[in-house]
Amino acid sequence: MHDPLSWISDELSVLDERGLARTRRSVTPLADAWCELSGKRLRNFATNDYLNLAHDPRLIKADRSVAASAGCGARASALVAGRTGWHTRLETKLAQFEHQEAAILFPTGYAANSGTISAIVSRGDVVFSDRLNHASLIDGCRLSRAETRVYPHGDLAALQRELKAASQARRRLIVTDAVFSMDADLAPLVELCDLAERHESMLLIDEAHATGVFGEKGRGVAELKGIEERGAIRVGTLSKAVGAMGGFVAGPQKLIDWLWNRARTQMFSTALPPAVCAAAAEGIEIIQREPWRRERLLTLSDRLRSQLQDRGVESVPQSVGPIVPVVLNSARAAIATAECLERAGFLVGAIRPPTVPEGTSRLRITLTCGHREEDVDELAGALAAALRKAG
Ligand SMILES: *Cc1c(COP(=O)(O)O)cnc(C)c1O
């Protein structure tokens, strides 16, 4: 019988041979950065729940009580009838938190990036995108049909040349991660603002890994670098440090009005569940009231970096914050080391192409403020041992 999908089996075996097939497993999350996998309790160093809020009793209580009254799903897109008082309250809270006029919710951070870029540039415009930007920014560029110029990671001179060459375009837009997700380095936001101003370009900053984590008040790398008043479009996620789910853009009222009218990923997708909005609002509240969470997170992150250094683990690139990459080059080495750590009681991410460039497979360790000092020290010890064994 003709099997129209037979090509998939062939392609999957190719992935398998190259060590690039991804296994699909299910993890049971437990409180305080523990989890259960195949019947075994592990310390979870593969979560983006940086502030340990996903399991916080206050978020759970907010979610439960709203679900009990408003139900589970939102029932419609925000545009039609899905936007409830819980959505408007969260948007107001986000605008206040970010010191912006207004904010708009999206179903996910992915949808916020792809929908915003494709709403503000199109044919005849040029987008400038850092080579290491997140997939949701890349897909936004593709979706927009604007001409996309990818510049080498952090290369301001190359970006400036591209901006000059595009001076005749209708609109220009620079897009960048604030913290790059796989390398954990910060974008040069001051210089990017300078370039955007000099070349009359818009600038979009994706603070997915930075909201709640960086800046004295937790407003991200834009706060840390003092560029909040310089007009960049700020995108964030509620799915990481905030402990809930969803994406948002905060900015001037006119931008938010435009996205309400033109961002297809929020217009043609069902609104976030009201209970999720309530949980996210609680998360934002806690981020404002409990700065000790991000302080502890950054202290633990420094602790892991120095522990690894003390134990002779040299493959940690220059990085800051709760994402600690350990570059192991081959995909097989990354998998083998992650498995070894799993046997020792730690869950860490093994990241392979196409998520990272060929030859730069890595472990991606992420910390949360719910980890204990001894968890961090033991992980460093186990990792050093695993790497010694692998030779
Ligand atoms: C996780 C992530 C997103 C997507 O956010 P979700 O809410 O998970 O869809 C966007 N950008 C970056 C840099 C991310 O790491």
Side-chain angles (χ1 to χ4, degrees), residues 16-37:
D16 223 11
E17 278 156 28
R18 295 172 56 204
L20 296 180
R22 294 150 188 245
T23 45
R24 232 177 144 203
R25 52 190 191 181
S26 86
V27 177
T28 306
L30 303 169
D32 295 327
W34 285 85
C35 65
E36 201 178 290
L37 181 64

Side-chain angles (χ1 to χ4, degrees), residues 254-283:
K254 58 178 177 278
L255 169 68
I256 303 309
D257 290 345
W258 182 251
L259 296 177
W260 176 252
N261 281 281
R262 281 289 182 274
R264 294 167 63 87
T265 54
Q266 68 84 21
M267 297 167 76
F268 299 108
S269 200
T270 299
L272 285 171
V276 168
C277 296
E282 193 59 38

Side-chain angles (χ1 to χ4, degrees), residues 48 50 107-113 133-137 177-182 206-209 235-240 245-247 364:
N48 299 320
Y50 301 124
T108 62
Y110 190 107
N113 277 329
N133 275 345
H134 188 261
S136 56
L137 294 170
D177 280 14
V179 180
F180 289 88
S181 10
M182 296 301 146
D206 174 7
E207 297 264 20
H209 292 290
V235 186
T237 178
L238 303 167
S239 330
K240 290 176 176 151
M245 169 92 203
R364 182 170 177 277

Side-chain angles (χ1 to χ4, degrees), residues 289-303:
R289 277 203 312 257
E290 299 181 2
W292 65 264
R293 289 179 182 270
R294 55 185 164 274
E295 288 154 15
R296 175 171 169 78
L297 175 68
L298 296 178
T299 306
L300 284 176
S301 309
D302 289 345
R303 183 180 182 107

Side-chain angles (χ1 to χ4, degrees), residues 209-231:
H209 292 290
T211 303
V213 171
F214 288 101
E216 202 189 317
K217 305 284 181 201
R219 295 196 301 271
V221 183
E223 184 198 352
L224 182 73
K225 301 223 173 170
I227 54 107
E228 289 179 285
E229 311 298 318
R230 296 184 67 181

Side-chain angles (χ1 to χ4, degrees), residues 45-338:
F45 281 94
T47 160
N48 299 320
D49 183 21
Y50 301 124
L51 302 180
N52 199 26
L53 290 178
H55 234 112
D56 189 282
R58 294 163 289 183
L59 271 77
I60 296 171
K61 183 170 164 238
D63 185 284
R64 269 199 190 154
S65 73
V66 173
S69 64
C72 290
R75 305 173 177 84
S77 69
L79 205 59
V80 176
R83 188 166 180 261
T84 66
W86 299 103
H87 297 81
T88 61
R89 274 192 288 280
L90 175 56
E91 286 174 342
T92 304
K93 195 176 214 47
L94 286 167
Q96 282 166 352
F97 170 65
E98 295 281 356
H99 293 187
Q100 300 288 330
E101 271 175 25
I104 184 169
L105 293 171
F106 286 76
T108 62
Y110 190 107
N113 277 329
S114 53
T116 300
I117 295 171
S118 53
I120 61 176
V121 286
S122 59
R123 255 191 257 281
D125 303 328
V126 183
V127 195
F128 310 89
S129 175
D130 188 290
R131 163 138 355 251
L132 296 188
N133 275 345
H134 188 261
S136 56
L137 294 170
I138 296 170
D139 291 352
C141 296
R142 290 179 181 158
L143 205 54
S144 74
R145 296 194 176 97
E147 190 183 322
T148 302
R149 297 276 163 196
V150 177
Y151 58 92
H153 181 50
D155 188 339
L156 295 164
L159 171 59
Q160 178 160 24
R161 281 195 298 279
E162 295 287 3
L163 280 161
K164 269 194 191 139
S167 62
Q168 297 308 310
R170 184 181 62 157
R171 292 181 209 139
R172 284 160 293 283
L173 169 66
I174 304 168
V175 296
T176 187
D177 280 14
V179 180
F180 289 88
S181 10
M182 296 301 146
D183 292 67
D185 55 335
L186 305 184
L189 293 188
V190 174
E191 293 79 0
L192 290 176
C193 282
D194 292 343
L195 281 176
E197 279 164 22
R198 196 167 326 134
H199 297 275
E200 297 182 4
S201 172
M202 299 180 283
L203 170 63
L204 181 148
I205 303 172
D206 174 7
E207 297 264 20
H209 292 290
T211 303
V213 171
F214 288 101
E216 202 189 317
K217 305 284 181 201
R219 295 196 301 271
V221 183
E223 184 198 352
L224 182 73
K225 301 223 173 170
I227 54 107
E228 289 179 285
E229 311 298 318
R230 296 184 67 181
I233 297 171
R234 311 276 305 285
V235 186
T237 178
L238 303 167
S239 330
K240 290 176 176 151
V242 182
M245 169 92 203
F248 69 92
V249 175
Q253 187 66 50
K254 58 178 177 278
L255 169 68
I256 303 309
D257 290 345
W258 182 251
L259 296 177
W260 176 252
N261 281 281
R262 281 289 182 274
R264 294 167 63 87
T265 54
Q266 68 84 21
M267 297 167 76
F268 299 108
S269 200
T270 299
L272 285 171
V276 168
C277 296
E282 193 59 38
I284 295 290
E285 190 68 37
I286 295 171
I287 285 172
Q288 290 172 295
R289 277 203 312 257
E290 299 181 2
W292 65 264
R293 289 179 182 270
R294 55 185 164 274
E295 288 154 15
R296 175 171 169 78
L297 175 68
L298 296 178
T299 306
L300 284 176
S301 309
D302 289 345
R303 183 180 182 107
L304 178 60
R305 284 192 179 82
S306 71
Q307 286 263 344
L308 289 173
Q309 195 173 24
D310 291 350
R311 290 165 201 264
V313 177
E314 280 159 2
S315 37
V316 181
Q318 212 28 260
S319 58
V320 286
I323 304 170
V324 181
V326 181
V327 178
L328 299 173
N329 308 317
S330 96
R332 287 191 192 290
I335 296 292
T337 313

